[in-house]
Amino acid sequence: MKAILTVIGKDNVGIIAGVSNELSELEINILDVSQTIMDGYFTMMMMLDLNTTTKAFDEIKEQLSKKGADLEVKVSIQREEIFNSMHKL
Amino acid sequence: METKQILETIRMIEEEKLDIRTITMGISLLDCIDSDGEKARAKIYKKITTYAEKLVETGEQIESEFGIPIINKRISVTPIAIIAGASADKDYVAFAKTLDESAEKVGVNFIGGFSALVEKGYTKGDAILINSIPEALAQTERVCGSVNIGSTRTGINMDAVRDMGEVIKKTAELTADTQGLGCAKLVVFANAVEDNPFMAGAFHGVGEADCVINVGVSGPGVVKRAIEKVKGESFDKVAEMVKQTAFKITRMGELVGQEASKRLGVPFGIVDLSLAPTPSVGDSVAHVLEEMGLETVGTHGTTAALALLNDAVKKGGVMACGHVGGLSGAFIPVSEDIGMIEAVNNGSLNLEKLEAMTAICSVGLDMIAIPGDTPATTIAAMIADEAAIGVINNKTTAVRLIPAKGTKVGDMVEFGGLLGTAPVMRVNKNSSAEFIARGGRIPAPIHSFKN
């Protein structure tokens, strides 16, 4: 199962490191990363492979959002299908 | 995958309040028929609680994994008049209570199907069910009822129209302590559809499979934001923009419906492409119409704006999913739409304009509070007018009126939650009593002969 992780918030030192570290602890592989500053907001998107992790989706989601709170950014994770289905036939 | 598209999806959900309005599990109760009412009810309880056991949980899982809110998980069943008609029971309140208990057990907030289809005439079961509606809606919390009183094929059953005027009055009286909440759970239809996932009019038609999942999408906020992008441009551009947006919204519904169907092991029925408002800011169909250039909804041009919207939503959505059904269009309930409430309060929107709008919207006079002393015959006449619009134009129409006891024009009726707040609207004071007293049937229109 693939998922899209989005991180949005005020730019700060250590956001990418913090999030990547958390993913590595969850045994989740990062397939693709894109990051930019939009209107002064730090915006990062990652494509993740959830096949390597043994954790349940809800657990991953909770842990990542907790990490986001520590880093003062909003972290959300959603299954990839929702983005594909909306824009592609 | 493009960054822009990912951000667009997230923005649509978070800022523009895109949601899946409802996942509705339709369950056939035909195999629960029994000559012993008690046995029938036991079978009904068992079937609903077994089939829908994982409905809410599955809905919540999908919501979490895909990050799209699913507001309601609901159940619709075969019209109870058909099921209970085989029993010797003299009223069907006990059946309503069984539905209520089953809904509570599986955790859904509404169960639809305390219904009768009497467009051509009454069976014994239909008559008993209609008589039981006021008590049934007063004594249960989650049960919704509907009655189909006309169709293009059969014409309008004016006896049923007259009876429903009385039923609505009585329901309002029996639920006076909640400002007539019972009436908010009762819909009178013409040309009712059998696969409608939206309450209060949802029921599981006899032509449907044993169990099926239907999905209703919504997203007035998303459409409004899209129209903002073409400010001042021609209607060709507006229609194109609405179409493209409706496509994206409907894709969500298709995905969620397929996923729910797979996880529950139940066939997927239809996606109902409807723009359904909520009382919260940023989720109003009225505001979509106003975005097209109307100072306030209800002014001249409103009907044309609604026609464009309704048609473009269908055109955009049809390509996005396999089976479209239900009511598909735009809902214009008064109490559930902040923009409609504002328009009534500032005097721009009245019942006459609403009636004109119902000729092209997906339902009809929906969630409208009227003075508590409105005669039953006037209510019946309003039902007859709406039914005529539906029957002649070959579309579904419905009436959901709330004559809350003791209220007068200008008062507010509060229901809270998704049902919202309704300003009491002015009704024509002149009598329709003699008209309604005639009874009988208004014949089917000439264009009903299509074979």
Side-chain angles (χ1 to χ4, degrees):
Chain A
M1 191 204 306
K2 284 183 192 165
I4 303 281
L5 176 97
T6 50
V7 181
I8 299 173
K10 216 172 121 269
D11 197 10
N12 222 325
V13 176
I15 299 176
I16 300 182
V19 173
S20 314
N21 213 356
E22 191 68 31
L23 289 169
S24 135
E25 271 170 32
L26 288 162
E27 291 175 85
I28 294 171
N29 194 22
I30 302 169
L31 301 174
D32 198 359
V33 191
S34 103
Q35 186 264 306
T36 177
I37 305 286
M38 274 174 69
D39 299 328
Y41 278 94
F42 175 89
T43 309
M44 176 166 74
M45 266 158 271
M46 283 178 168
M47 163 96 72
L48 307 175
D49 182 357
L50 300 188
N51 290 326
T52 45
T53 180
T54 49
K55 298 259 192 315
F57 194 93
D58 282 338
E59 207 178 323
I60 296 169
K61 193 171 163 174
E62 203 192 311
Q63 226 157 303
L64 285 167
S65 94
K66 223 182 274 169
K67 187 77 203 172
D70 292 345
L71 296 165
E72 294 173 9
V73 288
K74 189 171 183 295
V75 179
S76 33
I77 180 167
Q78 286 159 275
R79 283 178 62 166
E80 166 211 37
E81 290 98 318
I82 192 155
F83 303 100
N84 268 331
S85 75
M86 184 183 253
H87 299 280
K88 286 179 199 155
L89 262 180
Chain B
M1 198 174 297
E2 281 186 46
T3 313
K4 223 181 92 193
Q5 292 178 343
I6 293 177
L7 286 175
E8 183 187 352
T9 307
I10 290 173
R11 203 195 58 231
M12 281 164 86
I13 294 169
E14 292 204 345
E15 289 171 28
E16 299 162 14
K17 303 199 190 306
L18 172 63
D19 57 45
I20 301 295
R21 186 53 53 84
T22 182
I23 297 184
T24 303
M25 178 180 266
I27 303 172
S28 168
L29 299 181
L30 287 171
D31 54 359
C32 300
I33 289 176
D34 201 295
S35 56
D36 180 340
E38 208 152 310
K39 280 190 192 152
R41 289 191 288 275
K43 284 194 247 179
I44 289 171
Y45 182 81
K46 184 156 184 287
K47 186 161 187 187
I48 295 173
T49 51
T50 311
Y51 276 48
E53 195 187 2
K54 293 212 154 45
L55 176 66
V56 172
E57 185 192 324
T58 306
E60 282 167 1
Q61 263 172 19
I62 294 174
E63 189 171 351
S64 163
E65 288 178 26
F66 292 95
I68 173 116
I70 301 170
I71 311 296
N72 298 305
K73 294 96 190 168
R74 290 169 171 176
I75 296 171
S76 65
V77 298
T78 314
I80 291 298
I82 299 171
I83 307 304
S87 73
D89 289 21
K90 294 278 178 280
D91 83 68
Y92 297 158
V93 177
F95 280 89
K97 287 187 171 163
T98 301
L99 294 180
D100 206 36
E101 285 157 19
S102 335
E104 191 180 357
K105 168 87 170 135
V106 299
V108 296
N109 58 352
F110 282 125
I111 182 164
F114 197 74
S115 307
L117 311 174
V118 296
E119 56 268 32
K120 208 164 180 183
Y122 281 27
T123 60
K124 182 200 81 176
D126 294 330
I128 300 175
L129 184 118
I130 288 174
N131 277 329
S132 311
I133 286 175
E135 281 290 340
L137 296 182
Q139 291 188 31
T140 59
E141 194 187 329
R142 299 161 199 248
V143 174
C144 292
S146 59
V147 176
N148 193 53
I149 50 88
S151 79
T152 299
R153 280 282 180 170
T154 61
I156 305 170
N157 182 345
M158 291 299 289
D159 292 329
V161 168
R162 184 185 56 213
D163 291 349
M164 288 316 292
E166 302 283 351
V167 165
I168 289 173
K169 276 295 270 196
K170 196 155 174 222
T171 305
E173 270 163 33
L174 291 182
T175 55
D177 54 335
T178 49
Q179 298 206 287
L181 182 62
C183 296
K185 297 185 283 180
L186 173 62
V187 182
V188 185
F189 274 118
N191 285 327
V193 290
E194 302 195 328
D195 54 3
N196 161 27
F198 285 102
M199 292 299 166
F203 64 87
H204 187 73
V206 288
E208 298 274 315
D210 189 44
C211 186
V212 72
I213 289 288
N214 293 327
V215 166
V217 298
S218 176
V222 184
V223 174
K224 179 177 182 288
R225 185 65 74 91
I227 302 178
E228 281 171 16
K229 289 184 199 148
V230 290
K231 205 164 195 66
E233 297 197 51
S234 74
F235 280 114
D236 311 76
K237 294 265 168 57
V238 175
E240 192 56 34
M241 203 62 176
V242 175
K243 254 161 61 180
Q244 286 176 14
T245 312
F247 175 84
K248 290 177 190 170
I249 296 173
T250 311
R251 295 292 292 168
M252 292 273 157
E254 174 80 0
L255 173 73
V256 167
Q258 295 285 4
E259 196 65 33
S261 138
K262 201 163 65 193
R263 291 185 191 192
L264 289 162
V266 170
F268 181 32
I270 55 104
V271 178
D272 186 317
L273 328 171
S274 286
L275 296 186
T278 69
S280 67
V281 175
D283 214 10
S284 154
V285 171
H287 288 164
V288 174
L289 301 176
E290 288 168 4
E291 190 56 44
M292 289 190 211
L294 305 167
E295 188 176 351
T296 164
V297 73
T299 190
H300 303 289
T302 305
T303 313
L306 182 61
L308 179 148
L309 177 68
N310 221 1
D311 182 62
V313 164
K314 288 179 195 167
K315 284 175 178 161
V318 162
M319 177 76 177
C321 61
H323 296 279
V324 176
L327 298 166
S328 289
F331 287 172
I332 50 167
V334 173
S335 80
E336 299 166 19
D337 188 314
I338 183 85
M340 300 287 280
I341 296 170
E342 285 163 2
V344 172
N345 283 336
N346 72 22
S348 166
L349 187 60
N350 56 30
L351 268 175
E352 288 74 16
K353 187 66 180 178
L354 271 169
E355 186 183 312
M357 289 164 77
T358 62
I360 43 169
C361 81
S362 75
V363 193
L365 293 177
D366 197 17
M367 288 303 282
I368 295 168
I370 55 175
D373 61 359
T374 310
T377 48
T378 299
I379 296 172
M382 292 166 83
I383 295 171
D385 280 344
E386 258 324 282
I389 290 175
V391 166
I392 299 293
N393 293 307
N394 217 344
K395 75 181 285 291
T396 305
T397 48
V399 170
R400 192 158 47 141
L401 297 171
I402 305 131
K405 202 175 175 191
T407 56
K408 50 187 191 310
V409 176
D411 290 352
M412 295 296 273
V413 178
E414 306 260 355
F415 298 119
L418 269 182
L419 296 173
T421 303
V424 176
M425 297 180 73
R426 191 190 60 80
V427 171
N428 197 317
K429 289 275 183 213
N430 296 299
S431 172
S432 315
E434 270 187 51
F435 178 78
I436 293 303
R438 285 179 187 269
R441 201 142 60 87
I442 294 181
I446 185 71
H447 61 253
S448 65
F449 300 101
K450 276 190 174 156
N451 42 342

